[in-house]
Amino acid sequence: MPNALSSPLSRRGVLAAGGAVGLGVALAACGSGDDGAKDAGAGAGGDAKAGPWSFEDDRGETAKADSVPKSIVAFTGTAAALHDYGIEVKGVFGPTTTKDGKPDIQAGDLDVTKVEILGNVWGEFNVEKYAALAPDLLVTAQWVEGELWYVPEQSKDKILKLAPSVALWAAETTVPKAVQRHADLAESLGADLKSAKVTDAKARFEKAAGRLRAAAKSKPEIRVLVGSASQDLFYVSLAKMSADTLYFQELGVKFVEPKVNSQGFFEELSWENIDKYPADIIMMDNRSSALQPDALTSKPTWARLPAVKAGQVVPRVTEPIYSYDKCAPILDDLAAAIEKARKVA
């Protein structure tokens, strides 16, 4: 990932950087366009209806095609969500493979050997390869209003001329609403939301949400810090500014509240000052662009944190794959961490 934190990039660039943890904006516009799929036409891969296809996205824009899109290109995490509903894409952009060629955490269950990777890091998008796929539809996330996640600004106009586009909120929403919107899009493309795979996953999600609510209620004294690490700085995010942690708050989880910077997402701390906020559990950004806990052993201030000494550090899926199948384990894992946690801060 580019070092967006030290360069004058947009909020989108800052959010993409490994150290950026505050992914999203408050709930002001959550569920924007929730009815967008109601008028959607046929499905590719399901019981397709004859005639044109359309879908209103979370920008309020309607993507249209003469028939259901077959050649779909999507941001990796969005493609992974569509895959969980049975919709496959031809190409992806965004973190897809790691340096050793293995699937990135954001690829979910995608077979990364069967998709064309148009760009693997921030700022990469091979327009020529994209055009060669004869795309019918481009799908990505929207973290900042009006900006398409991982679609480079410098080539955006060329990219958007080649096919209709759909953007779905990954911020300004909560997990259930984001999952529903991805399901809406998948259904418009032919997914069977009544299949056992989908309904079973939804049941697991709802059960996990109940478990997390019960765990938070049983241990109201536990405080959780949402962090992300870079070589020079430690970032503490404001929970209400991101879809996942906002939803956890709604379920009763208590979070540390940092004094955020002017952008409102997170507070930057030097490594000397990372003990500023007492916390019983630390959730650490699990993206490949962020330093992971096992890389922080040389930081003495990290090792001295009560949560670290107590072994109460857990991964945070900073960019969730918005399907019931992938979000259920996130809720279960946090519930388990709170159930086992003891007050240490």
Side-chain angles (χ1 to χ4, degrees), residues 16-341:
V21 295
L23 289 174
V25 192
L27 191 57
C30 68
S32 174
D34 279 347
D35 295 327
K38 290 182 178 179
D39 295 328
D47 294 329
K49 299 176 182 177
W53 172 90
S54 68
F55 185 88
E56 184 180 345
D57 73 1
D58 291 348
R59 296 171 296 178
E61 297 183 10
T62 299
K64 297 180 180 180
D66 292 337
S67 60
V68 175
K70 303 284 188 182
S71 182
I72 304 169
V73 173
F75 169 68
T76 303
T78 309
L82 291 174
H83 170 84
D84 287 348
Y85 292 112
I87 303 300
E88 304 300 340
V89 304
K90 286 190 175 181
V92 296
F93 54 94
T96 307
T97 58
T98 58
K99 292 180 180 179
D100 57 7
K102 295 181 179 179
D104 187 273
I105 189 75
Q106 294 188 59
D109 293 334
L110 281 178
D111 185 342
V112 298
T113 68
K114 292 184 178 180
V115 292
E116 184 75 52
I117 301 174
L118 305 180
N120 201 49
V121 298
W122 182 258
E124 283 187 359
F125 192 114
N126 191 311
V127 181
E128 289 73 24
K129 285 186 178 181
Y130 178 57
L133 292 173
D136 298 320
L137 180 65
L138 177 83
V139 187
T140 189
Q142 179 179 236
W143 291 100
V144 177
E145 186 172 2
E147 296 190 6
L148 302 179
W149 195 232
Y150 272 81
V151 176
E153 288 294 326
Q154 65 270 22
S155 54
K156 182 178 69 174
D157 290 344
K158 291 181 181 178
I159 293 167
L160 295 182
K161 286 179 181 178
L162 295 173
S165 63
V166 164
L168 299 177
W169 273 118
E172 298 201 16
T173 187
T174 59
V175 172
K177 291 178 180 179
V179 169
Q180 183 61 57
R181 289 295 285 147
H182 284 71
D184 289 343
L185 175 61
E187 185 175 37
S188 82
L189 295 169
D192 179 7
L193 300 188
K194 296 180 180 179
S195 70
K197 180 181 178 181
V198 175
T199 57
D200 288 351
K202 185 175 182 180
R204 291 195 302 273
F205 176 85
E206 292 171 348
K207 182 179 180 180
R211 179 185 178 186
L212 180 54
R213 183 183 289 107
K217 184 176 181 180
S218 70
K219 292 192 174 180
E221 74 280 5
I222 297 297
R223 290 294 182 275
V224 180
L225 182 147
V226 182
S228 185
S230 69
Q231 191 59 45
D232 299 321
L233 294 170
F234 185 75
Y235 304 85
V236 182
S237 72
L238 186 61
K240 71 178 183 179
M241 301 297 279
S242 194
D244 60 332
T245 46
L246 173 59
Y247 183 51
F248 302 156
Q249 273 191 322
E250 290 182 352
L251 293 174
V253 178
K254 304 297 191 302
F255 285 95
V256 165
E257 295 191 2
K259 295 180 180 178
V260 296
N261 61 21
S262 60
Q263 292 179 327
F265 300 117
F266 52 82
E267 179 177 0
E268 304 100 326
L269 298 175
S270 67
W271 281 101
E272 291 77 15
N273 295 312
I274 65 169
D275 60 352
K276 180 177 180 179
Y277 297 106
D280 306 296
I281 295 174
I282 300 176
M283 296 180 69
M284 288 293 288
D285 185 349
N286 77 334
R287 293 177 296 174
S288 57
S289 52
L291 292 181
Q292 299 305 303
D294 59 3
L296 303 178
T297 54
S298 63
K299 307 281 189 184
T301 50
W302 168 259
R304 291 197 295 266
L305 292 176
V308 175
K309 291 194 290 185
Q312 295 178 176
V313 178
V314 299
R316 178 204 176 190
V317 182
T318 306
E319 293 187 51
I321 294 169
Y322 287 117
S323 68
Y324 292 112
D325 184 67
K326 295 300 181 293
C327 288
I330 296 173
L331 299 175
D332 266 330
D333 289 347
L334 181 55
I338 293 174
E339 288 165 355
K340 293 184 292 185

